[in-house]
Amino acid sequence: MDMIRRVEHTSATVREAQRVLLEHLGALTLDPSQASRLPGWTIGHVLTHLARNADSVVRRLEASARGEVVSQYAGGAEGRSHEIEQGCSRPYEVQVVDLIASCEGLDAHVWTVPDEAWSFETPSTSGEMQPGLVVLARRQREVIIHHSDLGIGFGPEQWPISFAEQLVDELLNDVPDRSDPRRLAGWLTDRSGPPPIAPWGEVAPNRDPQAT
């Protein structure tokens, strides 16, 4: 698949994820101060993050077009947290309008990005260097997973199967580091129950990351 088709396909998956989210939010009136499914985050935190994340994709694609490496958020991780805290207590209607604008801004910007920018790499908040096409693709993940984090009736059962399959492929590579390999092997061979698995992105407390 050539780059143009890959961009078109990736952009379509992002637009669809955003459409489903915005359609769902438009049918509800939520309390931004209500707790979300993310520990320590309210619904307002999640909505504000979703809006600012869209802006961060535009920021990175703009930088890629200039051939410039920038942080995902202005001010780095601290800037990201500050923007979320500043916006999370706004009224629900204001947050939804903000999110719509940020989604539409991203959709429009995609078609202004020059071909060479899609392979130029910029760092995510975790420090992972990602080409522009991956930057755009990760927006789908942000939208779908955080849509579920809102706790408004959109769960993994509603996730697109192609998205779920891709996420499983990526996450399975990390599972051995998030669990005791002996207990994991016992479960996979149907010799024991499922083992405890450390949270996504973390190494199991009893697992030596240098062990082989």
Side-chain angles (χ1 to χ4, degrees), residues 60-178:
R60 293 172 74 185
L61 293 179
E62 287 177 337
S64 293
R66 300 191 300 268
E68 178 184 349
V69 175
V70 298
S71 59
Q72 181 167 354
Y73 296 89
E78 290 185 3
R80 169 185 178 274
S81 297
H82 177 72
E83 287 187 332
I84 293 171
E85 291 298 331
Q86 286 289 102
C88 66
S89 61
R90 295 171 298 165
Y92 178 69
E93 294 78 8
V94 173
Q95 298 221 38
V96 171
V97 169
D98 179 29
L99 181 55
I100 291 172
S102 66
C103 290
E104 290 179 346
L106 172 57
D107 290 343
H109 184 73
V110 166
W111 308 112
T112 72
V113 178
D115 290 350
E116 61 272 15
W118 294 112
S119 58
F120 188 87
E121 295 185 343
T122 57
S124 67
T125 51
S126 67
E128 179 186 357
M129 297 299 292
Q130 300 167 333
L133 190 61
V134 172
V135 172
L136 178 61
R138 288 297 174 88
R139 173 62 180 173
Q140 183 199 25
R141 177 188 294 188
E142 289 287 321
V143 173
I144 290 175
I145 291 178
H146 286 312
H147 190 169
S148 295
D149 289 336
L150 290 169
I152 55 176
F154 179 85
E157 297 81 6
Q158 284 77 45
W159 292 358
I161 187 65
S162 59
F163 167 77
E165 290 173 343
Q166 180 180 356
L167 192 58
V168 166
D169 286 344
E170 293 179 15
L171 296 184
L172 282 179
N173 292 328
D174 298 331
V175 170
D177 290 333
R178 294 165 54 197

Side-chain angles (χ1 to χ4, degrees), residues 177 203-212:
D177 290 333
V203 173
N206 62 341
R207 171 77 169 166
D208 179 357
Q210 301 301 320
T212 58

